[in-house]
Amino acid sequence: ELETMELALVAEWDGDEDVYLIRWDGSNLRQLTNNPGRDTDPVWSKDGQQLAFVIDARESPRVYISTADGSEGRVVAPDLEVTTAHVEMSPTGDLVAFRNLEDLYAVNTLTGEETLLTPGADINPSNPRFSPAGTMLVFKAGAPSGDDGLFVVNSDGTGLTELTSVVESVHGPSWHPTQDKILFELS
């Protein structure tokens, strides 16, 4: 299994940023995308069968889902522009989460169904991360108090909750892999 593991990376070797795949041992480097725009921020599904990334990141950024070898792919939620480069895929690969304008969305990778996660919250969300079960997301946002804070929301858009408001800046929230705990950095 280790000999077939691949990494996805972004490089600017032909004049714009494209997604490349390479085996863990440095062999079999190949270009996955070759679009005139920037292709960025690849993230694998947990089973390694799908890859999500942002295409045309400069002009009209959209989330693109492809098979692991790049042979099949499609834009997910063509009406939603990605306004921060970070895309997160759920552990089961059935959802992608990202920021569009001032809100977070979760989009079903099979049906394209869009779920608004932060309706009317006006909190400037970023860096969504799925829980190990894929049922919740944690993200950094500007709390109503004016400080940065950590928020959680169910992946169906219910239960938006501020966990904590802190004076320092919050960075890199992520879930513990097996427990209902969240790790984050303060600066």
Side-chain angles (χ1 to χ4, degrees):
E1 191 174 302
L2 185 60
E3 57 274 352
T4 61
M5 262 183 22
E6 289 191 306
L7 304 172
L9 60 109
V10 174
E12 190 176 334
W13 291 325
D14 66 355
D16 66 342
E17 293 172 289
D18 287 302
V19 176
Y20 292 81
L21 301 177
I22 190 168
R23 287 210 176 127
W24 69 274
D25 63 1
S27 67
N28 200 27
L29 174 67
R30 62 196 187 285
Q31 189 170 353
L32 183 70
T33 65
N34 189 16
N35 302 316
R38 294 173 52 220
D39 302 325
T40 62
D41 301 291
V43 60
W44 286 106
S45 62
K46 188 174 181 178
D47 65 5
Q49 299 302 305
Q50 297 182 91
L51 187 65
F53 51 93
V54 178
I55 61 169
D56 197 12
R58 189 169 292 143
E59 297 294 324
S60 182
R62 300 291 189 262
V63 175
Y64 192 86
I65 303 287
S66 93
T67 55
D69 64 2
S71 63
E72 295 179 35
R74 67 195 177 290
V75 171
V76 177
D79 296 332
L80 293 177
E81 190 171 298
V82 180
T83 52
T84 61
H86 179 78
V87 174
E88 175 76 355
M89 188 174 282
S90 69
T92 55
D94 63 334
L95 295 173
V96 290
F98 58 91
R99 180 176 166 174
N100 167 265
L101 301 176
E102 298 301 321
D103 290 303
L104 287 183
Y105 280 84
V107 178
N108 186 299
T109 59
L110 300 174
T111 67
E113 179 184 351
E114 303 166 4
T115 302
L116 177 57
L117 301 175
T118 55
D122 193 28
I123 55 176
N124 196 26
S126 64
N127 300 86
R129 299 281 189 225
F130 278 98
S131 65
T135 57
M136 297 181 77
L137 292 102
V138 62
F139 58 93
K140 170 187 168 178
S145 65
D147 297 326
D148 285 341
L150 289 177
F151 290 75
V152 292
V153 64
N154 295 320
S155 59
D156 66 3
T158 62
L160 179 62
T161 305
E162 182 180 1
L163 294 180
T164 183
S165 178
V166 293
V167 176
E168 296 92 356
S169 293
V170 175
H171 301 284
S174 63
W175 292 88
H176 186 280
T178 59
Q179 299 176 12
D180 286 335
K181 295 181 180 181
I182 298 169
L183 176 68
F184 58 94
E185 178 184 341
L186 296 175
S187 65

